[in-house]
Amino acid sequence: MKAVILTAGEGTRMRPLTTTRPKTMLITGGKPLIQYNIESLRDAGIKDITLVVGYKKEVIQDYFGDGSEFGVNINYAVQDGQLGTAHAIGSAEKFIDESFIVLNGDIIVSYDLIRNLIEKYATRTSNDVKSVLTLIEVDDPSSYGIVSTMNDKIVEIVEKPCPEEAPSNLANAGIYLFSTEIFDAIRETELSERGEYEITDSLEIELKKGYEILGLISHEPWMDVGRPWELLKCNADFLEKMEDDIQGEIEENVTIHGPVHLGKDSIIRSGCYIQGPVFIGDNCDVGPNTYLRPNACLCNNVSVGNAVEIKNSIIMDGTNVSHLSYVGDSVIGVNCNLGAGTNLANLRFDDKHVKVTVKGERIDSGLRKLGAIFGDEVKTGINTSVNPGVKIGNGSFINAGCVIYQDIDSFSLVTTETNLIVKKLKKDDE
């Protein structure tokens, strides 16, 4: 058994975090999203994995290499253009010579789900069974591909039906097991109305040929990470399962409650108070007198100064959070510098849900508490305040004393005189 992970997309709903990396390389729980799926496949006995890459593919290739450090063998198939799921799977054909599992890189699945999928295929009673779809029960069928089944077999797949016309409440979870015959169906697949080659259309071709497709109704946990606040939820879910792992140094007079991961060459200085679960990566310097609250995730080479408070946030590699700052429910990119007294607010005055602009549309996050989203290399001056749900693009400078109440484009300079963008620092590559 082999596996294919689809990781060629841009992840535009995650901007500005995905301006410099694919969505599947965003960090949660101390690891890139896609690494969880690679480890689940490995633990299920699948070690020959093809990653279908495209956007910023070098970021993935540089991190995983040939896969040997992760206990697997990784090949790379390049998808030229974003032409749909069937097109992406077809890109991996030269590496596949037996039955294989397909996962989306941003849908994190458990080891148990993968084992159940393999067992379902292994116990098939007919050689006409060519595919297995993982199905989940949903309340709103209008957002999914909905299938109807008979005796465990797929009869029909309907894309995003009206609730009153849905044939069932069973949705296609986007987790598949295919025989190599799927490539024949992909070659026969035509462009859909959306201008893409849809894998559901390929499956319909298999059904018309008389092939059988099984449905596996799964109740195993899985996570679909599509927007920045879902990254925080995913991070919290993984940290809740974390156990103590202390590899660095803890000075005297540090108080710790709950599990903490402290990486190599990292130090927690005197006077810090930590409520786990908290993840601290390698070569980090925390404190003194810092307060780390549950679900704080500090990646590698992060520096946190005196009297800083961080709660339920992801701080990516190389970022510095200077003294007297507060970071709540936020995602901060690589190599940022938060000047002393920077406050990232996470709660509205009216206590309503925080809204965020995603692809030009104001979206209700469904959360009462949500802070800021910073791209890479953002710098804030002392006493900067950022309102809930604000996004600041890559390479932007925020002058001292600014109150940021709206999204800031990449490579912008904001001053206290106008509190508006006054200069583009260089060409915005978003």
Side-chain angles (χ1 to χ4, degrees), residues 213-246:
I213 302 173
L214 300 181
L216 171 67
I217 300 175
S218 178
H219 299 285
E220 297 293 338
W222 62 286
M223 289 173 277
D224 186 359
V225 185
R227 293 169 295 190
W229 56 91
E230 292 167 350
L231 196 66
L232 289 174
K233 182 182 184 304
C234 182
N235 179 70
D237 287 344
F238 280 116
L239 293 192
E240 287 295 331
K241 304 170 188 174
M242 187 182 71
E243 298 180 354
D244 273 323
D245 182 15
I246 306 299

Side-chain angles (χ1 to χ4, degrees), residues 12-284:
T12 53
R13 291 184 299 169
M14 281 285 194
R15 292 291 175 90
L17 299 171
T18 52
T19 304
T20 55
R21 63 184 68 80
K23 177 171 65 172
T24 57
M25 289 301 291
L26 291 173
I27 303 297
T28 185
K31 301 176 185 178
L33 288 169
I34 193 174
Q35 185 172 336
Y36 290 100
N37 282 342
I38 289 173
E39 292 174 351
S40 290
L41 288 166
R42 178 199 63 200
D43 294 345
I46 300 175
K47 298 186 178 181
D48 197 334
I49 301 171
T50 297
L51 303 184
V52 179
V53 296
Y55 176 74
K56 304 290 184 183
K57 61 182 182 294
E58 66 281 355
V59 177
I60 299 174
Q61 293 169 325
D62 290 347
Y63 184 88
F64 289 105
D66 63 4
S68 57
E69 291 187 14
F70 302 88
V72 296
N73 173 56
I74 293 179
N75 295 304
Y76 296 93
V78 179
Q79 183 187 16
D80 295 320
Q82 305 301 303
L83 297 177
T85 307
H87 181 261
I89 296 169
S91 302
E93 182 176 6
K94 66 179 180 179
F95 298 110
I96 303 299
D97 56 5
E98 59 182 291
S99 299
F100 63 106
I101 287 175
V102 174
L103 307 173
N104 286 312
D106 58 351
I107 297 177
I108 301 177
V109 304
S110 69
Y111 155 86
D112 289 327
L113 192 155
I114 294 171
R115 290 299 306 168
N116 292 342
L117 196 60
I118 294 171
E119 290 169 4
K120 184 77 172 181
Y121 187 70
T123 57
R124 67 194 186 282
T125 58
S126 169
N127 289 330
D128 288 332
V129 174
K130 301 300 182 183
S131 302
V132 183
L133 272 65
T134 304
L135 308 177
I136 56 172
E137 297 175 343
V138 297
D139 295 327
D140 179 14
S142 63
S143 299
Y144 299 88
I146 299 298
V147 306
S148 58
T149 62
M150 182 178 294
N151 297 326
D152 241 10
K153 298 175 184 176
I154 306 296
V155 176
E156 181 185 20
I157 305 173
V158 182
E159 280 297 325
K160 299 179 179 180
C162 298
E164 59 273 12
E165 298 177 0
S168 74
N169 69 333
L170 296 176
N172 174 14
I175 304 163
Y176 309 96
L177 194 156
F178 294 126
S179 68
T180 55
E181 280 84 358
I182 193 64
F183 294 116
D184 295 328
I186 287 173
R187 280 186 283 274
E188 297 176 32
T189 302
E190 298 179 352
L191 280 172
S192 68
E193 293 181 358
R194 297 196 305 168
E196 295 183 352
Y197 296 99
E198 312 274 5
I199 194 61
T200 49
D201 291 342
S202 305
L203 290 167
E204 289 283 2
I205 291 171
E206 287 202 328
L207 288 173
K208 290 177 181 177
K209 288 182 176 181
Y211 295 153
E212 295 179 358
I213 302 173
L214 300 181
L216 171 67
I217 300 175
S218 178
H219 299 285
E220 297 293 338
W222 62 286
M223 289 173 277
D224 186 359
V225 185
R227 293 169 295 190
W229 56 91
E230 292 167 350
L231 196 66
L232 289 174
K233 182 182 184 304
C234 182
N235 179 70
D237 287 344
F238 280 116
L239 293 192
E240 287 295 331
K241 304 170 188 174
M242 187 182 71
E243 298 180 354
D244 273 323
D245 182 15
I246 306 299
Q247 303 175 43
E249 178 184 355
I250 301 175
E251 291 186 344
E252 293 183 0
N253 300 316
V254 172
T255 300
I256 297 177
H257 297 284
V260 171
H261 172 96
L262 181 65
K264 296 177 182 178
D265 301 316
S266 291
I267 183 169
I268 302 175
R269 298 189 181 276
S270 181
C272 290
Y273 192 99
I274 299 178
Q275 291 179 295
V278 165
F279 181 95
I280 301 171
D282 296 341
N283 198 36
C284 294

Side-chain angles (χ1 to χ4, degrees), residues 270-306:
S270 181
C272 290
Y273 192 99
I274 299 178
Q275 291 179 295
V278 165
F279 181 95
I280 301 171
D282 296 341
N283 198 36
C284 294
D285 192 328
V286 179
N289 306 313
T290 289
Y291 181 19
L292 298 183
R293 295 170 60 186
N295 303 321
C297 177
L298 314 183
C299 298
N300 299 325
N301 304 300
V302 171
S303 178
V304 178
N306 176 58

